[in-house]
Every structure is written in structure tokens, then in C-alpha cells.
């Protein structure tokens, strides 16, 4: 069985300050991990993915995430928030179970950016 | 690039009505998926397909049906709409199922049942 916990349902930051969105996972097998972003009335767009290569993963729009196996975490960061970063972010784990891959979505973190 | 296209974008249905949500992709992906998104709940898998003619249930299939006659199209049908089916529906596709392969999403269909 696998699960994803996004530790904050809502994060608010000021423009130009760092962003930290937290994600913990559990998986019986070596997982692949993804962060997706969803802007209002839009679908989910891939930000970045971890697939057992480098533990520090760089994505689009200045976001990056670090895979920490010992802490079962995959937190998303950005050094300086921009107004256009206001959106909902989903952490997703994909792992092999019962002979097939299963995708599990976190419940999402809504990021607000204050001017 | 079109990617995954969903129609309609919005729809209001009355209880008991039926409708089909359309999804088409132009990336020649074998795998396609239907999800529903409810506030604060993330995405739940309704049905998926591994290729033309092959479909399987996901986590929340009750009240829905799917078919896959071509690689490109994967429609989702609601036969007897119920208020509990008010949700945002997303179609997605991928080249492989799971592992390191990300899914590509459409912009969603916002469905209200009154």
C-alpha cells in the first residue's frame, strides 16, 4: 500500500520570499514521485519528477524538490515566490503494487502569494 | 500542440439525466484515465484503459461507464446522474502506465447535478 500526505492544505507567502510545500509519502517499493501544479480552471501540469536518479530534482519555473528516503519526504521549494505561482500543488507517488503501478495523489496544497 | 482535449468544459445536469464526457488525445498514448476531483480530496481514479478495447475499474467506478474504440478517444458516460457526481472530471493519458512516466491532463469538465 502507498499513501501521500501533504502537510499543509494552505500556504501563504509574500512575493519574493521562499516557498516550501511539504509532502511525505509511504511506499513498499521504490517510488517515483511527482509534483503537479493546477491553476484555476485548468488541468494538472507537471512541475518535476523524481525517478531514482539525482535526489535533488529541478523543475520548471524555478521549482525544485529533494527526495529524502530516510525521512520519506519530497518537499517542493522555490527561492523567491512570484504572483504567478499562486495555484494548487499536488504531490503524487507512483509505485509498483500487486503487479501493477498505482498512482496516489495528495489532497493538494493551495499556495497564495501576497503582493 | 493539443495534447489532451476535454469537452464540454462546463455542464449542468438534472438528476436522472445522462451524458457523455468526451476526451481525445493526439499523442498516440496507449494509456488513458478518468479522474474526479472533489474539493480537498485530491484526484480519484474512476476508470482507465491500457489500449483500444481494454478498460478497467479504478477506485471509484460506480455510476460511470467507459469505452475505448480508438487509441485517441476515451469517453466517460454517466447513465443516471446523481448529486454525488457533482465534481470536476479530468482525463489524462500516458505513454506507459506508472513508474517514472508522468500523465498528461486535460483542462477538465466541471459538472453540476441539480
Amino acid at each position: 500500500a502507498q499513501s501521500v500526505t501533504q502537510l499543509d492544505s494552505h500556504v501563504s507567502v509574500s512575493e519574493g520570499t521562499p516557498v516550501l510545500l511539504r509532502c511525505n509519502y509511504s511506499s513498499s517499493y521504490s517510488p517515483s514521485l511527482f509534483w503537479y501544479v493546477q491553476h484555476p480552471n485548468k488541468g494538472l501540469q507537471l512541475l518535476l519528477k523524481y525517478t531514482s536518479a539525482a535526489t535533488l530534482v529541478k523543475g520548471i519555473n524555478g521549482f525544485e524538490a529533494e527526495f529524502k528516503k530516510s525521512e520519506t519526504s519530497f518537499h517542493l521549494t522555490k527561492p523567491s515566490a512570484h504572483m504567478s505561482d499562486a495555484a494548487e500543488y499536488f504531490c503524487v507517488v507512483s509505485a509498483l503494487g500487486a503487479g501493477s503501478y498505482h498512482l496516489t495523489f495528495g489532497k493538494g496544497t493551495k499556495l497564495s502569494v501576497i503582493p | 500542440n493539443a495534447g489532451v482535449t476535454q469537452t464540454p468544459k462546463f455542464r449542468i445536469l438534472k438528476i436522472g439525466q445522462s451524458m457523455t464526457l468526451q476526451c481525445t488525445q493526439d499523442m498516440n498514448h496507449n494509456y488513458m484515465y478518468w479522474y474526479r476531483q472533489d474539493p480537498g480530496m485530491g484526484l480519484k481514479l474512476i476508470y482507465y484503459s491500457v489500449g483500444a478495447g481494454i478498460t478497467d475499474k479504478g477506485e471509484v467506478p460506480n455510476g460511470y461507464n467507459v469505452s475505448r474504440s480508438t487509441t485517441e478517444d476515451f469517453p466517460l458516460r454517466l447513465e443516471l446522474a446523481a448529486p454525488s457526481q457533482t465534481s470536476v472530471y479530468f482525463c489524462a493519458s500516458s505513454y506507459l502506465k506508472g513508474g517514472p512516466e508522468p500523465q498528461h491532463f486535460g483542462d477538465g469538465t466541471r459538472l453540476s447535478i441539480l
Side-chain angles (χ1 to χ4, degrees):
Chain A
Q2 62 194 44
S3 65
V4 178
T5 302
Q6 291 184 242
L7 296 166
D8 305 292
S9 59
H10 191 192
V11 170
S12 185
V13 301
S14 297
E15 190 175 17
T17 64
V19 175
L20 170 63
L21 305 183
R22 299 182 294 165
C23 173
N24 286 353
Y25 72 93
S26 69
S27 174
S28 302
Y29 299 91
S30 297
S32 294
L33 293 158
F34 308 85
W35 275 100
Y36 284 85
V37 61
Q38 184 182 29
H39 291 280
N41 296 319
K42 290 292 185 181
L44 278 70
Q45 178 188 13
L46 182 68
L47 270 181
L48 50 80
K49 66 178 182 180
Y50 166 77
T51 58
S52 76
T55 57
L56 183 61
V57 182
K58 294 187 183 299
I60 62 172
N61 300 334
F63 284 95
E64 62 181 36
E66 186 172 8
F67 174 73
K68 292 186 176 180
K69 186 175 181 179
S70 60
E71 298 176 10
T72 60
S73 68
F74 189 56
H75 301 335
L76 182 70
T77 61
K78 182 174 181 178
S80 176
H82 191 273
M83 293 300 295
S84 61
D85 295 327
E88 191 157 20
Y89 293 79
F90 292 92
C91 182
V92 182
V93 61
S94 175
L96 186 64
S100 172
Y101 281 103
H102 298 272
L103 219 61
T104 302
F105 288 77
K107 294 184 177 181
T109 298
K110 186 174 182 180
L111 175 65
S112 298
V113 182
I114 303 166
Chain B
N1 293 338
V4 178
T5 302
Q6 292 183 238
T7 56
K9 293 190 184 303
F10 305 94
R11 185 74 184 267
I12 298 175
L13 280 183
K14 293 182 179 179
I15 295 171
Q17 286 185 322
S18 62
M19 78 163 292
T20 300
L21 283 65
Q22 302 291 347
C23 174
T24 187
Q25 52 94 6
D26 63 358
M27 296 172 282
N28 202 33
H29 286 165
N30 283 326
Y31 296 89
M32 295 187 74
Y33 316 83
W34 274 106
Y35 295 92
R36 60 177 289 169
Q37 182 183 32
D38 300 303
M41 297 301 294
L43 273 69
K44 302 290 186 184
L45 182 64
I46 304 172
Y47 271 96
Y48 67 96
S49 170
V50 304
I54 306 170
T55 63
D56 206 350
K57 295 178 180 179
E59 187 179 356
V60 289
N62 292 343
Y64 307 94
N65 281 301
V66 294
S67 59
R68 184 97 181 269
S69 57
T70 67
T71 299
E72 295 78 17
D73 300 308
F74 189 40
L76 176 72
R77 182 148 181 93
L78 284 69
E79 290 293 351
L80 288 171
S84 61
Q85 294 177 304
T86 293
S87 188
V88 182
Y89 292 85
F90 288 100
C91 179
S93 72
S94 64
Y95 178 65
L96 298 173
K97 184 176 185 290
E101 177 68 18
Q103 295 183 6
H104 302 262
F105 288 83
D107 283 346
T109 294
R110 284 145 187 85
L111 181 63
S112 293
I113 298 164
L114 306 175

